[in-house]
Amino acid sequence: MVQALNVIPRDAIRSIRFVSGMPFSGEQLAPAAVYCDKDRTRSLSGSNVSEVFLSYARDDEAVARRVAKALEAAGFIVWWDAHLPAHRAYSEVIEKRLTEAKAVVVLWSESGARSQWVRAEADFARSAGKLVQAQLDGGLPPMPFNQIQSADLKGWRGSNKHPGWSKLQNSVAALIKGEELTAPADPAPVKWWAEPRGRWLMAAGALLLFVAAALIPLLIGGGETKRPRVAVLPFESLDSRDESLVAGIWEDTRQAIGRNPQLLVLGPNTAEEIAEKGTAAAGKVADFLVEASVRSTGDRIRVSANLVRTEDGSELWSKNFDRRLDDVFALQSEIAGEIEGHVRGRLAERGGTQPQNIATSGEVYALYSDARAKIRKRQARGYQEAHKQLEQVVRLDPNFAPGWATLAVVKGFGIKGPSPGEADARRAIALAPNLAAGHAALGFTLQSGPAAQAALHRALSLDPNDIEALHWLANSLDPATHAQEKLRLYSEVVEREPLWWPAILNKLELLYRIGNVAAVEQELARVEELGDRILSALIKSQLLARRGDLSGAVNAALPAYRNASADERELLANGLFGPFLQLGLFEAADKVVPPPSPWVPFIRRNDPKVLDMVEAAMPPEKFWTFGALPQVTGRIYFLSNQGERLAKRYRAVASTPEQFEALVGFQFSDLAPVAARALRSVGDEAQARRLLELAEAAASKEPAPDGDQQVRLARIYAVQGRTDAAIGLLSTAVRRGWLPNYLPLHTDIGIDPALTELKKDPRFEPLRQQILGHLAKERAELGPVSIN
């Protein structure tokens, strides 16, 4: 008997940044898991034994323990959370184990459905095709997992004879053996209740007529001369007394679907014969089968519908709709709409791999195409217009999957906070599982981590030419651990799109981070040779700004800005806005990038009134993930001696530093020193210390020790009380020409709350004055600035 001895702690799982945009961090410190086989002991590190990863919510620990024990007794190696020490970081081990596990068992409950960690692990498993799920409290899994078979473990106490346990164990065994999971048959019919039948029979009849009407507008991507042949099989009546009624509804449905000129719907005699002879006969005359059945229980109605491809017997889609008969027509509309959308996505040419394969009305497609073109320009004004257009697209055609996918993307660009468009991306995938744009949108909204990368790889497998997906895959990688792969992907995008500035600027940013300035200059020469004066001016400006030549940066971009179009000005503003702020030229900065909110003047004055404004407008989670806002207002909390208020905002989103790190993502190393000071102001020294330890580990992984990394570490060291180390790093950065960006650090490092303790050291003030003196010199060299 094989028994697992070591497991992965839940805290480690929660440290994985599935949604945050922050790369994995933490040491590879988990001791090798060990298992025993009678007299032998072997290390799992390096072993190729089968693994089962167990995911659950903390409230379900007792059941999880029982599941783990039963799986181990069945001979499986199980990874779950117990017994390993809580003082070590395991995120990289978790990533590896999730990736290598052949089966991921997810235990759903009300608590599990609320847990973003359980959902993230389930999503990773779902994308990888190795999800086994079980319900603990009788409820359905959350969307979209409610469309996947699930074992019912309600009332299970460890018995091998429990049907739910048998189903779960068989599914795990099938995945371990490399077999695909098959959907079991529907459960036995529910016992009928003796009630008047007129109401539900009328509802069932009307419901199936709505199904017929919904199937009329099946839209199939063009290009093929042969129309798909569809057989609408006689609908199944679950009570013999209803056979005549259901037969009549079936005939109406068949005729309604036949009115779609893009489909060849077989006649009733052929459909009846197919039903009698079975699926073997169906493949000779039909490409697809549409089936439906109805059952009722009291005041509830259940409609089952599916679409089957006869070539291989694959069930392309199947779903049960279980609703109350409170509002019959609303119920009919809801179910018919879902059936129509799912069938459309699956009958689209090549499975709807690309948006153009899933046709819709001319009006909808025109709106969608125009919105997509605006998004590709990557301009704020375009995002707002595209958002409105895409909202109209999904109102006009709620089952147009590409509209939902693109809406998810535009929300990701225009709405701050974690995964704002995730639900829209998942809806697109539910409607059209093979839509590359849907999987790409999901990866984009999740930002980073295994789930995001699995979605993006899926998109690229469906459409290898999806430049956006390739670009987002590069964005999802941690530059500290995957710098070269990230650079390779950016270079591939630029090779395909030689003048697409988002990929070019991201590539240049990475080159700066790894210290390869020569490659930056080569990229500039390439763009100049191609004749793009706007992009050339922007790259020159950014290169000079990084060298501390702020006046040169402005002079490189400003002439081009004056003669540029509105769209070109928005791009060039990226090269002017930062230097203007660093030089204190706020009026010029506001002309190239208008202030996004009325808070800006208060923030520039460090006016504590802005804290009330921000807290009234932003819940804590949005506050901590809203770009530079938590850093710039964090400064104001301390300048006004209100660190306790900031600590309250921290505790509203995190009970552990690991949770905070997962939430704020790539900003963690910058935010941690200020958050630690806030926690100290309320006496929580232990959590403050842990925050700083995690931040130091994350910041130390930068690919090259540039000025930003040195100052990032100096801020952490200063709050830790390591004054000499902090001063040393700050001195090195300043000596090499480092200048603080006004956003988010402010150009006066003397008001940075993270560096407060350094002000007591006599070495600090000369460094501060050197920075301020450099900025004054640059302002003098630039002279008066005229934007127009």
Side-chain angles (χ1 to χ4, degrees):
M1 186 68 67
V2 178
Q3 295 183 335
L5 300 182
N6 276 3
V7 290
I8 296 298
R10 169 65 39 176
D11 289 344
I13 296 174
R14 293 181 176 179
S15 71
I16 298 180
R17 266 70 84 197
F18 282 102
V19 203
S20 67
M22 180 70 186
F24 294 112
S25 70
E27 304 164 57
Q28 300 184 23
L29 295 177
V34 175
Y35 73 90
C36 297
D37 185 353
K38 293 185 178 179
D39 299 328
R40 296 186 300 125
T41 301
R42 288 173 55 192
S43 168
L44 265 182
S45 58
S47 170
N48 59 1
V49 296
S50 301
E51 294 181 77
V52 180
F53 190 101
L54 182 58
S55 174
Y56 67 98
R58 174 59 61 190
D59 292 346
D60 303 319
E61 182 176 0
V63 181
R65 186 178 298 276
R66 198 178 306 131
V67 170
K69 184 177 180 181
L71 286 171
E72 290 165 2
F76 301 110
I77 302 299
V78 182
W79 287 82
W80 70 297
D81 91 335
H83 308 316
L84 286 181
H87 65 283
R88 304 170 82 174
Y90 298 100
S91 59
E92 293 180 4
V93 177
I94 291 297
E95 178 187 8
K96 183 174 184 291
R97 290 303 176 187
L98 273 172
T99 303
E100 293 181 350
K102 292 187 177 180
V104 177
V105 175
V106 177
L107 304 182
W108 290 114
S109 65
E110 185 176 350
S111 297
R114 290 196 305 266
S115 170
Q116 62 173 311
W117 313 110
V118 174
R119 293 174 72 110
E121 292 153 13
D123 191 63
F124 173 79
R126 177 174 174 262
S127 299
K130 51 188 178 184
L131 173 63
V132 178
Q133 50 185 11
Q135 305 149 243
L136 303 185
D137 52 15
L140 289 174
M143 290 183 65
F145 307 103
N146 59 346
Q147 299 183 31
I148 303 173
Q149 290 292 327
S150 180
D152 186 357
L153 293 187
K154 185 177 182 180
W156 177 69
R157 292 293 180 269
S159 170
N160 288 331
K161 298 180 180 180
H162 190 283
W165 174 253
S166 298
K167 181 176 180 179
L168 184 147
Q169 182 174 317
N170 290 339
S171 295
V172 170
L175 285 172
I176 296 299
K177 295 175 183 178
E179 301 172 358
E180 292 187 3
L181 298 182
T182 56
D186 279 347
V190 180
K191 182 179 179 180
W192 290 72
W193 293 355
E195 289 192 5
R197 306 176 54 78
R199 182 182 178 208
W200 87 261
L201 286 174
M202 291 176 62
L207 177 60
L208 289 174
L209 285 173
F210 263 85
V211 171
L215 290 172
I216 292 174
L218 285 175
L219 297 169
I220 298 148
E224 296 184 8
T225 57
K226 180 183 177 182
R227 293 181 295 170
R229 296 169 300 172
V230 180
V232 183
L233 299 186
F235 293 155
E236 181 183 5
S237 170
L238 300 180
D239 192 297
S240 59
R241 289 174 294 178
D242 307 327
E243 288 179 354
S244 297
L245 173 63
V246 174
I249 298 170
W250 162 68
E251 176 62 22
D252 291 338
T253 303
R254 190 200 61 77
Q255 292 178 357
I257 296 174
R259 288 194 285 270
N260 182 352
Q262 298 187 57
L263 297 177
L264 178 60
V265 178
L266 303 181
N269 295 326
T270 301
E272 287 179 333
E273 189 149 344
I274 289 174
E276 291 178 4
K277 293 185 176 180
T279 55
K284 299 178 180 179
V285 293
D287 300 310
F288 301 96
L289 305 179
V290 176
E291 305 169 326
S293 64
V294 179
R295 65 161 61 111
S296 74
T297 303
D299 63 348
R300 301 191 70 86
I301 187 169
R302 186 182 189 189
V303 176
S304 299
N306 58 55
L307 177 71
V308 176
R309 183 171 57 211
T310 59
E311 179 183 11
D312 54 8
S314 297
E315 186 177 77
L316 302 183
W317 174 70
S318 177
K319 189 171 182 180
N320 296 323
F321 302 90
D322 191 349
R323 305 288 192 275
R324 290 180 61 87
L325 288 169
D326 298 304
D327 187 339
V328 173
F329 293 104
L331 174 67
Q332 294 163 345
S333 179
E334 175 192 356
I335 295 176
E338 288 209 36
I339 291 174
E340 183 272 336
H342 284 81
V343 170
R344 186 200 310 185
R346 283 149 182 81
L347 291 188
E349 181 186 3
R350 293 190 290 120
T353 301
Q354 299 179 15
Q356 58 267 33
N357 300 139
I358 303 177
T360 185
S361 69
E363 177 188 5
V364 168
Y365 199 79
L367 280 169
Y368 160 76
S369 297
D370 190 54
R372 186 173 54 177
K374 289 184 172 74
I375 293 170
R376 285 177 175 168
K377 290 183 177 181
R378 298 295 196 271
Q379 294 166 345
R381 181 178 65 256
Y383 294 151
Q384 297 171 3
E385 296 170 359
H387 195 166
K388 293 177 182 178
Q389 288 177 307
L390 290 164
E391 292 283 6
Q392 187 177 357
V393 163
V394 296
R395 280 198 303 271
L396 291 171
D397 188 350
N399 293 312
F400 184 52
W404 289 106
T406 314
L407 180 61
V409 171
V410 78
K411 284 183 177 180
F413 283 122
I415 301 176
K416 301 296 182 181
S419 308
E422 181 181 352
D424 300 318
R426 293 190 185 283
R427 181 160 183 175
I429 295 171
L431 289 167
N434 289 330
L435 179 64
H439 294 279
L442 178 60
F444 171 71
T445 61
L446 295 178
Q447 300 179 32
S448 69
Q453 289 157 16
L456 291 164
H457 281 297
R458 173 62 174 155
L460 289 168
S461 71
L462 292 166
D463 183 5
N465 296 314
D466 190 336
I467 298 299
E468 296 274 21
L470 196 64
H471 186 222
W472 293 333
L473 179 60
N475 290 347
S476 75
L477 297 176
D478 177 7
T481 56
H482 296 86
Q484 293 307 312
E485 175 64 8
K486 195 177 181 78
L487 182 59
R488 185 191 68 79
L489 291 171
Y490 283 142
S491 298
E492 185 176 345
V493 176
V494 172
E495 183 179 3
R496 299 187 192 186
E497 291 276 13
L499 290 174
W500 192 44
W501 66 264
I504 293 172
L505 295 186
N506 280 335
K507 178 181 178 181
L508 294 177
E509 177 64 26
L510 180 59
L511 289 172
Y512 285 126
R513 291 189 66 171
I514 63 179
N516 194 346
V517 179
V520 173
E521 293 173 344
Q522 290 174 4
E523 187 67 18
L524 172 59
R526 182 190 69 83
V527 173
E528 288 180 324
E529 184 177 353
L530 291 173
D532 191 322
R533 64 181 184 86
I534 299 300
L535 191 53
S536 297
L538 176 59
I539 296 174
K540 284 180 184 177
S541 177
Q542 292 187 339
L543 184 57
L544 290 168
R546 285 183 173 271
R547 291 172 174 169
D549 187 356
L550 300 181
S551 59
V554 171
N555 287 326
L558 193 53
Y561 183 89
R562 293 191 181 112
N563 299 309
S565 66
D567 289 347
E568 292 170 338
R569 283 191 167 197
E570 187 169 325
L571 178 58
L572 284 167
N574 290 293
L576 290 169
F577 182 65
F580 280 155
L581 289 181
Q582 287 177 290
L583 294 170
L585 303 176
F586 299 131
E587 183 178 349
D590 290 345
K591 286 182 179 180
V592 297
V593 179
S597 78
W599 304 339
V600 171
F602 293 89
I603 290 174
R604 288 176 181 165
R605 298 195 303 266
N606 295 312
D607 190 332
K609 292 178 183 177
V610 77
L611 303 181
D612 294 327
M613 300 177 189
V614 170
E615 290 185 5
M618 285 194 173
E621 182 171 324
K622 186 175 182 180
F623 165 77
W624 285 111
T625 57
F626 200 86
L629 185 67
Q631 287 201 69
V632 296
T633 54
R635 175 178 70 242
I636 300 172
Y637 276 105
F638 285 99
L639 290 174
S640 58
N641 297 314
Q642 299 187 69
E644 296 86 352
R645 286 178 70 178
L646 187 59
K648 184 177 180 180
R649 300 225 101 190
Y650 172 93
R651 286 178 167 171
V653 299
S655 58
T656 67
E658 287 79 7
Q659 288 180 354
F660 184 68
E661 184 179 11
L663 173 69
V664 302
F666 68 92
Q667 298 189 94
F668 177 68
S669 298
D670 295 318
L671 290 175
V674 177
R677 278 206 61 195
L679 290 170
R680 279 182 179 166
S681 69
V682 294
D684 193 346
E685 176 61 33
Q687 191 160 180
R689 185 167 54 251
R690 179 60 178 157
L691 265 176
L692 295 170
E693 290 173 355
L694 291 174
E696 181 183 355
S700 297
K701 290 184 176 181
E702 293 288 340
D706 64 1
D708 288 334
Q709 185 215 20
Q710 290 166 340
V711 174
R712 190 171 293 118
L713 282 168
R715 296 176 77 243
I716 296 168
Y717 292 163
V719 181
Q720 288 176 325
R722 298 159 65 182
T723 301
D724 286 343
I727 290 287
L729 285 174
L730 188 59
S731 300
T732 300
V734 173
R735 186 173 63 253
R736 293 178 177 177
W738 175 83
L739 294 173
N741 292 316
Y742 183 83
L743 290 175
L745 289 183
H746 202 283
T747 47
D748 184 356
I749 62 173
I751 61 174
D752 183 353
L755 301 179
T756 298
E757 293 302 314
L758 299 188
K759 293 163 68 175
K760 303 173 184 177
D761 191 290
R763 295 170 290 179
F764 178 79
E765 185 60 24
L767 295 174
R768 173 175 174 264
Q769 292 301 327
Q770 185 174 340
I771 293 170
L772 296 176
H774 184 117
L775 295 174
K777 175 178 174 291
E778 291 293 327
R779 278 195 300 271
E781 289 181 358
L782 181 62
V785 173
S786 173
I787 298 298
N788 297 315

